[in-house]
Coordinates of all heavy atoms in Angstrom, one line a residue:
M713 N 0.8 -1.2 0.0 CA -0.1 0.0 0.0 C 0.9 1.2 0.0 O 0.7 2.2 -0.8 CB -0.9 0.0 1.3 CG -1.9 1.1 1.2 SD -3.1 1.1 -0.2 CE -4.1 2.6 0.0
I714 N 1.9 1.2 0.9 CA 2.7 2.4 1.1 C 3.6 2.6 -0.3 O 3.8 3.7 -0.8 CB 3.6 2.3 2.2 CG1 2.8 2.8 3.5 CG2 4.9 3.1 2.1 CD1 3.6 2.8 4.8
L715 N 4.0 1.5 -0.8 CA 4.6 1.5 -2.1 C 3.9 2.1 -3.3 O 4.5 2.9 -4.0 CB 5.2 0.1 -2.5 CG 6.5 -0.4 -1.8 CD1 6.6 -1.9 -2.2 CD2 7.6 0.4 -2.2
K716 N 2.6 1.9 -3.3 CA 1.8 2.5 -4.3 C 1.7 4.0 -4.1 O 1.8 4.7 -5.2 CB 0.3 1.8 -4.1 CG 0.2 0.5 -5.0 CD -1.2 0.2 -5.0 CE -1.5 -1.1 -5.8 NZ -2.8 -1.6 -5.9
I717 N 1.5 4.4 -2.9 CA 1.5 5.8 -2.6 C 2.7 6.5 -3.0 O 2.8 7.6 -3.7 CB 1.1 6.1 -1.0 CG1 -0.2 5.6 -0.8 CG2 1.3 7.6 -0.8 CD1 -0.6 5.5 0.7
L718 N 3.8 5.9 -2.7 CA 5.1 6.5 -3.0 C 5.3 6.6 -4.6 O 5.8 7.5 -5.1 CB 6.4 5.6 -2.4 CG 6.5 5.8 -0.9 CD1 7.6 4.8 -0.4 CD2 6.9 7.2 -0.6
L719 N 4.9 5.5 -5.3 CA 4.9 5.4 -6.7 C 4.1 6.5 -7.3 O 4.6 7.4 -8.2 CB 4.4 4.1 -7.3 CG 4.6 3.9 -8.6 CD1 6.1 3.6 -8.9 CD2 3.8 2.7 -9.1
V720 N 2.9 6.8 -6.8 CA 2.1 7.8 -7.3 C 2.6 9.2 -7.0 O 2.7 10.2 -7.9 CB 0.5 7.8 -6.6 CG1 -0.2 9.0 -7.0 CG2 -0.1 6.5 -7.1
L721 N 3.2 9.4 -5.9 CA 3.8 10.6 -5.5 C 5.0 11.0 -6.4 O 5.2 12.0 -6.9 CB 4.3 10.7 -4.0 CG 3.1 10.8 -3.0 CD1 3.6 10.8 -1.6 CD2 2.4 12.3 -3.2
G722 N 5.8 9.9 -6.6 CA 7.0 10.0 -7.5 C 6.6 10.5 -8.9 O 7.1 11.2 -9.5
V723 N 5.5 9.9 -9.5 CA 5.0 10.1 -10.8 C 4.6 11.5 -10.9 O 5.0 12.3 -11.8 CB 4.0 9.3 -11.3 CG1 3.3 9.7 -12.6 CG2 4.5 7.7 -11.5
I724 N 3.8 12.0 -9.9 CA 3.3 13.4 -9.8 C 4.5 14.3 -9.8 O 4.6 15.4 -10.4 CB 2.5 13.6 -8.6 CG1 1.1 12.8 -8.8 CG2 2.2 15.1 -8.4 CD1 0.2 12.8 -7.5
G725 N 5.5 14.0 -8.9 CA 6.8 14.8 -8.7 C 7.4 15.0 -10.1 O 7.8 16.1 -10.5
I726 N 7.7 13.9 -10.9 CA 8.3 13.9 -12.2 C 7.5 14.7 -13.2 O 8.1 15.6 -13.9 CB 8.5 12.5 -12.7 CG1 9.5 11.7 -11.9 CG2 8.9 12.5 -14.2 CD1 9.6 10.2 -12.2
V727 N 6.2 14.6 -13.2 CA 5.4 15.3 -14.2 C 5.4 16.8 -13.8 O 5.6 17.7 -14.6 CB 3.9 14.9 -14.1 CG1 3.0 15.8 -14.9 CG2 3.9 13.6 -14.7
Y728 N 5.3 17.1 -12.5 CA 5.4 18.6 -12.0 C 6.8 19.2 -12.4 O 6.9 20.3 -12.9 CB 5.2 18.6 -10.5 CG 5.1 19.9 -10.0 CD1 4.1 20.7 -10.0 CD2 6.3 20.5 -9.1 CE1 3.9 21.9 -9.5 CE2 6.2 21.8 -8.6 CZ 5.0 22.5 -8.7 OH 4.9 23.8 -8.2
F729 N 7.9 18.4 -12.3 CA 9.2 18.9 -12.5 C 9.4 19.2 -14.0 O 9.9 20.2 -14.4 CB 10.2 17.7 -12.1 CG 11.7 18.2 -12.4 CD1 12.3 19.1 -11.8 CD2 12.4 17.6 -13.4 CE1 13.7 19.5 -12.0 CE2 13.6 17.9 -13.7 CZ 14.3 18.8 -13.0
L730 N 8.8 18.3 -14.8 CA 8.9 18.5 -16.3 C 8.1 19.6 -16.7 O 8.5 20.4 -17.6 CB 8.4 17.2 -17.0 CG 9.3 15.9 -16.9 CD1 8.7 14.9 -17.6 CD2 10.7 16.2 -17.6
F731 N 7.0 19.8 -16.1 CA 6.0 21.0 -16.5 C 6.7 22.3 -16.1 O 6.7 23.2 -17.0 CB 4.8 20.8 -15.7 CG 3.8 21.9 -16.0 CD1 3.2 22.0 -17.2 CD2 3.5 22.8 -15.1 CE1 2.3 23.0 -17.5 CE2 2.6 23.9 -15.3 CZ 1.9 23.8 -16.6
I732 N 7.3 22.3 -14.9 CA 8.1 23.6 -14.6 C 9.2 23.9 -15.5 O 9.5 25.0 -15.9 CB 8.5 23.5 -13.1 CG1 7.3 23.4 -12.2 CG2 9.4 24.7 -12.8 CD1 6.5 24.6 -12.2
K733 N 9.9 22.8 -15.8 CA 11.1 23.0 -16.6 C 10.8 23.5 -18.0 O 11.6 24.2 -18.6 CB 11.9 21.6 -16.7 CG 13.4 21.7 -16.6 CD 14.0 20.3 -16.9 CE 15.5 20.5 -17.0 NZ 16.1 19.3 -17.3
K734 N 9.8 23.0 -18.6 CA 9.3 23.3 -20.0 C 8.7 24.7 -20.0 O 8.2 25.2 -21.1 CB 8.3 22.4 -20.6 CG 9.2 21.1 -21.0 CD 8.2 20.1 -21.6 CE 8.9 18.9 -22.0 NZ 7.9 17.9 -22.5
K735 N 8.4 25.3 -18.8 CA 7.7 26.7 -18.9 C 8.7 27.8 -18.5 O 8.7 28.2 -17.2 CB 6.6 26.6 -18.0 CG 5.4 27.4 -18.4 CD 4.2 27.2 -17.4 CE 3.0 28.0 -17.8 NZ 2.0 28.0 -16.7
P736 N 9.5 28.4 -19.3 CA 10.3 29.4 -19.0 C 9.6 30.7 -18.5 O 8.8 31.2 -19.3 CB 11.3 29.7 -20.1 CG 10.4 29.1 -21.3 CD 9.5 28.1 -20.8
S737 N 9.8 31.2 -17.3 CA 9.1 32.4 -16.9 C 9.8 33.7 -17.3 O 9.3 34.8 -17.1 CB 9.0 32.2 -15.4 OG 10.3 32.2 -14.8
I738 N 11.0 33.6 -17.8 CA 11.8 34.8 -18.1 C 11.1 35.6 -19.4 O 11.1 36.8 -19.2 CB 13.2 34.4 -18.6 CG1 13.8 33.4 -17.7 CG2 13.9 35.6 -18.9 CD1 15.0 32.6 -18.2
K739 N 10.3 34.9 -20.2 CA 9.7 35.5 -21.3 C 8.6 36.4 -20.9 O 8.2 37.3 -21.8 CB 9.2 34.5 -22.3 CG 10.4 34.0 -23.2 CD 9.8 32.9 -24.1 CE 10.9 32.3 -25.0 NZ 10.3 31.3 -26.1
K740 N 7.9 36.2 -19.8 CA 6.8 36.9 -19.4 C 6.9 38.5 -19.5 O 5.9 39.2 -20.0 CB 6.4 36.5 -18.0 CG 5.6 35.3 -17.9 CD 5.1 35.0 -16.5 CE 4.5 33.7 -16.3 NZ 4.2 33.3 -15.0
N741 N 8.0 39.0 -19.1 CA 8.1 40.5 -19.0 C 8.7 41.0 -20.1 O 8.9 42.3 -20.1 CB 8.8 40.8 -17.7 CG 8.1 40.4 -16.5 OD1 6.8 40.5 -16.5 ND2 8.8 40.2 -15.3
K742 N 9.0 40.3 -21.2 CA 9.7 40.8 -22.4 C 8.8 41.4 -23.3 O 7.6 41.0 -23.4 CB 10.5 39.7 -23.1 CG 11.8 39.4 -22.3 CD 12.5 38.4 -23.2 CE 14.0 38.2 -22.6 NZ 14.8 37.3 -23.4
T743 N 9.2 42.5 -24.1 CA 8.4 43.2 -25.1 C 8.5 42.2 -26.3 O 9.3 41.3 -26.5 CB 8.9 44.5 -25.4 OG1 10.2 44.3 -26.0 CG2 9.0 45.4 -24.1
K744 N 7.5 42.6 -27.2 CA 7.5 41.8 -28.5 C 8.8 41.9 -29.3 O 9.3 40.9 -29.7 CB 6.3 42.3 -29.3 CG 5.9 41.3 -30.4 CD 4.7 41.9 -31.1 CE 4.2 40.9 -32.2 NZ 3.2 41.5 -33.1
K745 N 9.4 43.1 -29.2 CA 10.5 43.3 -29.9 C 11.7 42.4 -29.4 O 12.4 41.8 -30.1 CB 11.0 44.8 -29.9 CG 12.1 45.2 -30.9 CD 12.5 46.6 -30.6 CE 13.8 47.0 -31.6 NZ 14.4 48.2 -31.1
E746 N 11.8 42.4 -28.2 CA 12.9 41.6 -27.4 C 12.8 40.0 -27.7 O 13.8 39.4 -28.0 CB 12.9 41.8 -26.0 CG 13.5 43.2 -25.6 CD 13.4 43.3 -24.0 OE1 12.4 42.9 -23.5 OE2 14.3 44.0 -23.5
V747 N 11.6 39.6 -27.8 CA 11.2 38.2 -28.0 C 11.7 37.9 -29.5 O 12.3 36.9 -29.8 CB 9.8 37.8 -27.9 CG1 9.5 36.5 -28.4 CG2 9.4 38.0 -26.4
Q748 N 11.4 38.9 -30.4 CA 11.7 38.6 -31.8 C 13.3 38.6 -32.1 O 13.8 37.8 -32.7 CB 11.2 39.7 -32.8 CG 9.7 39.5 -33.0 CD 9.0 40.7 -33.7 OE1 9.6 41.8 -33.8 NE2 7.9 40.4 -34.3
E749 N 13.9 39.4 -31.3 CA 15.4 39.5 -31.4 C 16.0 38.1 -30.8 O 17.0 37.6 -31.4 CB 16.0 40.6 -30.6 CG 15.9 42.0 -31.3 CD 16.4 43.2 -30.5 OE1 16.6 42.9 -29.2 OE2 16.3 44.3 -31.0
D750 N 15.4 37.6 -29.8 CA 15.8 36.3 -29.2 C 15.7 35.3 -30.3 O 16.6 34.3 -30.5 CB 15.1 35.9 -28.0 CG 15.7 36.7 -26.7 OD1 16.7 37.4 -26.9 OD2 15.2 36.6 -25.6
A751 N 14.6 35.3 -30.9 CA 14.2 34.1 -31.8 C 15.2 34.1 -33.0 O 15.5 33.0 -33.5 CB 12.9 34.3 -32.3
S752 N 15.6 35.3 -33.5 CA 16.6 35.3 -34.6 C 18.0 35.1 -34.1 O 18.9 35.0 -35.1 CB 16.5 36.7 -35.3 OG 16.8 37.7 -34.4
D753 N 18.3 34.9 -32.9 CA 19.6 34.8 -32.5 C 20.0 33.2 -32.4 O 19.7 32.6 -31.4 CB 19.7 35.3 -31.0 CG 21.1 36.0 -30.7 OD1 22.0 35.8 -31.6 OD2 21.3 36.6 -29.8
L754 N 20.5 32.8 -33.6 CA 20.9 31.4 -33.6 C 22.4 31.1 -33.4 O 23.2 31.9 -33.9 CB 20.5 30.8 -35.0 CG 19.0 30.8 -35.3 CD1 18.8 30.4 -36.9 CD2 18.2 29.9 -34.5
V755 N 22.7 30.1 -32.7 CA 24.1 29.8 -32.5 C 24.3 28.2 -32.8 O 23.4 27.5 -32.7 CB 24.5 30.0 -30.9 CG1 24.5 31.5 -30.7 CG2 23.4 29.3 -30.0
A756 N 25.4 27.9 -33.3 CA 25.8 26.6 -33.6 C 26.2 25.8 -32.4 O 27.1 26.2 -31.7 CB 26.9 26.6 -34.8
C757 N 25.8 24.5 -32.4 CA 26.4 23.5 -31.4 C 27.8 23.3 -31.6 O 28.1 22.9 -32.7 CB 25.5 22.3 -31.5 SG 26.1 21.0 -30.4
T758 N 28.6 23.4 -30.6 CA 30.0 23.0 -30.7 C 30.2 21.6 -31.1 O 31.1 21.3 -32.0 CB 30.7 23.3 -29.3 OG1 30.4 24.6 -28.9 CG2 32.2 23.1 -29.5
T759 N 29.4 20.6 -30.8 CA 29.6 19.2 -31.0 C 29.1 18.8 -32.3 O 29.9 18.2 -33.2 CB 29.0 18.4 -29.8 OG1 29.5 18.7 -28.7 CG2 29.3 16.9 -30.1
C760 N 27.7 19.0 -32.7 CA 27.2 18.6 -33.8 C 27.0 19.6 -34.9 O 26.6 19.3 -36.1 CB 25.9 17.8 -33.5 SG 24.6 18.8 -32.9
G761 N 27.1 20.9 -34.6 CA 26.9 22.0 -35.6 C 25.5 22.4 -35.8 O 25.2 23.2 -36.6
T762 N 24.6 21.8 -35.1 CA 23.1 22.2 -35.3 C 22.9 23.6 -34.7 O 23.3 24.0 -33.7 CB 22.2 21.2 -34.4 OG1 22.5 19.8 -34.9 CG2 20.7 21.5 -34.6
Y763 N 22.2 24.3 -35.6 CA 21.8 25.8 -35.1 C 20.5 25.7 -34.2 O 19.6 25.0 -34.6 CB 21.6 26.5 -36.3 CG 22.8 27.1 -36.9 CD1 23.4 26.3 -37.9 CD2 23.5 28.2 -36.5 CE1 24.7 26.7 -38.5 CE2 24.7 28.7 -37.1 CZ 25.3 27.9 -38.0 OH 26.5 28.3 -38.6
S764 N 20.6 26.4 -33.2 CA 19.3 26.4 -32.3 C 19.3 27.8 -31.7 O 20.3 28.6 -31.6 CB 19.4 25.3 -31.2 OG 20.7 25.3 -30.6
E765 N 18.1 28.2 -31.2 CA 17.9 29.6 -30.6 C 18.7 29.7 -29.4 O 18.9 28.7 -28.5 CB 16.4 29.8 -30.3 CG 15.7 29.8 -31.6 CD 14.1 30.1 -31.2 OE1 13.9 30.5 -30.1 OE2 13.3 29.8 -32.0
L766 N 19.2 30.8 -29.2 CA 20.2 31.1 -28.0 C 19.5 30.8 -26.8 O 20.2 30.3 -25.8 CB 20.7 32.6 -28.1 CG 21.8 32.9 -27.2 CD1 23.1 32.1 -27.5 CD2 22.1 34.4 -27.3
N767 N 18.3 31.1 -26.6 CA 17.6 30.9 -25.3 C 17.2 29.4 -25.1 O 16.8 29.1 -23.9 CB 16.3 31.8 -25.1 CG 15.3 31.5 -26.4 OD1 15.5 30.6 -27.1 ND2 14.2 32.3 -26.3
E768 N 17.5 28.6 -26.0 CA 17.3 27.1 -25.8 C 18.6 26.4 -25.8 O 18.6 25.1 -25.8 CB 16.5 26.6 -27.0 CG 15.0 27.1 -26.9 CD 14.1 26.6 -28.1 OE1 14.7 25.9 -29.0 OE2 12.9 27.0 -28.1
T769 N 19.7 27.1 -26.0 CA 21.0 26.4 -26.0 C 21.7 26.5 -24.6 O 21.5 27.3 -23.7 CB 21.9 27.4 -27.0 OG1 21.2 27.6 -28.2 CG2 23.3 26.7 -27.3
L770 N 22.4 25.4 -24.4 CA 23.1 25.1 -23.2 C 24.6 25.8 -23.5 O 25.2 25.6 -24.4 CB 23.3 23.6 -22.8 CG 22.0 22.9 -22.8 CD1 22.2 21.4 -22.7 CD2 21.3 23.3 -21.5
I771 N 25.0 26.4 -22.4 CA 26.3 27.1 -22.5 C 27.2 26.6 -21.4 O 26.8 26.6 -20.3 CB 26.2 28.7 -22.4 CG1 25.2 29.2 -23.6 CG2 27.5 29.3 -22.5 CD1 24.9 30.7 -23.3
S772 N 28.4 26.1 -21.9 CA 29.3 25.6 -20.8 C 30.7 26.0 -21.3 O 31.1 25.8 -22.5 CB 29.3 24.1 -20.8 OG 30.2 23.5 -19.9
A773 N 31.6 26.7 -20.5 CA 32.8 27.1 -20.8 C 32.9 28.0 -22.0 O 33.7 27.8 -22.9 CB 33.9 25.9 -20.9
N774 N 31.9 28.9 -22.3 CA 31.8 29.7 -23.3 C 31.6 29.0 -24.6 O 31.8 29.7 -25.7 CB 33.0 30.7 -23.4 CG 33.0 31.7 -22.3 OD1 32.0 32.2 -21.9 ND2 34.3 32.0 -21.7
K775 N 31.1 27.8 -24.6 CA 30.7 27.2 -25.8 C 29.3 26.7 -25.8 O 28.8 26.5 -24.7 CB 31.6 25.8 -25.9 CG 33.0 26.2 -26.3 CD 33.9 24.9 -26.4 CE 35.4 25.3 -26.6 NZ 36.2 24.1 -26.7
Y776 N 28.7 26.7 -27.0 CA 27.2 26.4 -27.1 C 27.0 24.9 -27.4 O 27.7 24.3 -28.2 CB 26.6 27.3 -28.2 CG 26.8 28.7 -27.9 CD1 27.7 29.4 -28.7 CD2 26.1 29.3 -26.9 CE1 27.8 30.8 -28.5 CE2 26.3 30.6 -26.7 CZ 27.1 31.4 -27.5 OH 27.2 32.7 -27.3
Y777 N 25.9 24.3 -26.8 CA 25.6 23.0 -27.1 C 24.1 22.9 -27.1 O 23.2 23.6 -26.5 CB 26.0 22.1 -25.9 CG 27.5 22.0 -25.6 CD1 28.1 22.9 -24.6 CD2 28.3 21.3 -26.5 CE1 29.4 22.9 -24.4 CE2 29.8 21.4 -26.2 CZ 30.2 22.1 -25.2 OH 31.5 22.1 -25.0
C778 N 23.6 22.0 -28.2 CA 22.2 21.9 -28.4 C 21.5 21.1 -27.4 O 20.3 21.1 -27.2 CB 21.9 21.5 -29.8 SG 22.5 19.7 -30.1
S779 N 22.2 20.1 -26.7 CA 21.5 19.2 -25.8 C 22.6 18.8 -24.8 O 23.8 19.0 -24.9 CB 21.0 18.0 -26.6 OG 22.0 17.3 -27.2
D780 N 22.0 18.0 -23.8 CA 22.9 17.5 -22.7 C 24.0 16.5 -23.3 O 25.0 16.3 -22.9 CB 22.0 16.8 -21.6 CG 21.4 17.8 -20.7 OD1 22.0 18.9 -20.6 OD2 20.3 17.6 -20.3
A781 N 23.4 15.7 -24.3 CA 24.2 14.6 -25.0 C 25.4 15.3 -25.6 O 26.5 14.8 -25.4 CB 23.4 13.9 -26.0
C782 N 25.2 16.3 -26.4 CA 26.3 17.0 -27.0 C 27.3 17.5 -25.9 O 28.5 17.6 -26.2 CB 25.9 18.1 -27.9 SG 25.2 17.4 -29.4
M783 N 26.8 18.1 -24.9 CA 27.6 18.6 -23.9 C 28.6 17.6 -23.2 O 29.7 17.8 -23.0 CB 26.8 19.3 -22.8 CG 27.6 20.2 -21.9 SD 26.7 20.9 -20.5 CE 25.8 22.2 -21.3
E784 N 28.0 16.4 -23.0 CA 28.7 15.3 -22.5 C 29.8 14.8 -23.5 O 30.9 14.3 -23.0 CB 27.8 14.1 -22.1 CG 27.0 14.4 -20.8 CD 25.9 13.4 -20.6 OE1 25.8 12.4 -21.2 OE2 25.0 13.9 -19.8
K785 N 29.5 14.8 -24.8 CA 30.4 14.3 -25.7 C 31.7 15.2 -25.8 O 32.8 14.8 -26.1 CB 29.8 14.3 -27.1 CG 29.0 13.0 -27.3 CD 28.4 13.1 -28.7 CE 27.3 12.2 -28.9 NZ 26.7 12.3 -30.2
A786 N 31.5 16.5 -25.6 CA 32.5 17.5 -25.7 C 33.6 17.3 -24.6 O 33.4 16.8 -23.6 CB 32.0 18.9 -25.5
Ligands
ZN1761 ZN1 24.6 19.3 -30.7

């Protein structure tokens, strides 16, 4: 019984975490112009060369990565 409760709580926690992670709150206070500038700001991934928006790019040691996988390969 307790295991079932823990399992349900764990699933809720994971869903909650993913939901919060996918919802960037930074964009809320930006003007339309600033959002458009962000969208046109593309950077190349250091590992695979894929271009992605700057606000979706991971930055490590002043290098850009499109995903965690590429960051780990570097
Ligand atoms: Zn990449």
